[in-house]
Amino acid sequence: MIGAGLMLCGPAHAADDAAAICNAAISAYGAAGASGDPGKMAAVFAPDGELVSPYGFLAGHDALVKFYASFMKPGDKDVFTVASARMIGDVALCTGGITFKPASGARESKGFWTRVLGKVDDDWKLLNLTYAPAAPQ
């Protein structure tokens, strides 16, 4: 019985760690987005981090800065929900939903995302962010 109890604690602890890593990454992304600073957005990614969206595939700091500069405005707000978070080896895999609320007051948009987070030096960074818009209602 003692062994069974220890087995149950291991995965639960890993899930808690994955949730904490995912929530911290979401907070960093949201703060960078609200700042309107494309450089801050790119900084939440690993140096060779990837963004996959309906607009294409981007990789690396310079490409991410250029992408975010094309539409970001100070005060834009992303509201995230987390559907799942788990560790797979030394990376965290997170999935969930997003509501984007433009500072301009334009219509908000909704979608879904998957984040793959890995350690870069001592910080958790986005290795990959994949985004898909929700189907029109």
Side-chain angles (χ1 to χ4, degrees), residues 5-137:
L6 293 175
M7 287 286 280
L8 293 175
C9 291
H13 182 66
D16 291 342
D17 290 345
I21 292 164
C22 293
N23 286 326
I26 287 169
S27 293
Y29 189 94
S35 77
D37 183 339
K40 288 182 180 179
M41 288 299 291
V44 301
F45 287 81
D48 58 351
E50 305 168 340
L51 174 68
V52 182
S53 76
Y55 310 107
F57 170 83
L58 305 165
H61 180 83
D62 293 343
L64 290 163
V65 168
K66 184 177 178 182
F67 172 75
Y68 285 113
S70 73
F71 69 89
M72 281 185 68
K73 303 286 185 264
D76 285 349
K77 185 174 182 184
D78 294 315
V79 178
F80 295 100
T81 56
V82 177
S84 69
R86 65 180 187 249
M87 297 301 296
I88 301 176
D90 59 354
V91 300
L93 176 65
C94 322
T95 61
I98 179 176
T99 301
F100 174 69
K101 298 180 178 188
S104 67
R107 187 170 178 230
E108 44 183 63
S109 59
K110 296 180 184 255
F112 304 94
W113 53 264
T114 299
R115 286 177 165 85
V116 179
L117 298 149
K119 277 276 192 143
V120 176
D121 299 321
D122 291 329
D123 295 320
W124 286 94
K125 298 284 186 174
L126 278 165
L127 304 177
N128 178 283
L129 171 59
T130 300
Y131 166 78
Q137 299 292 328

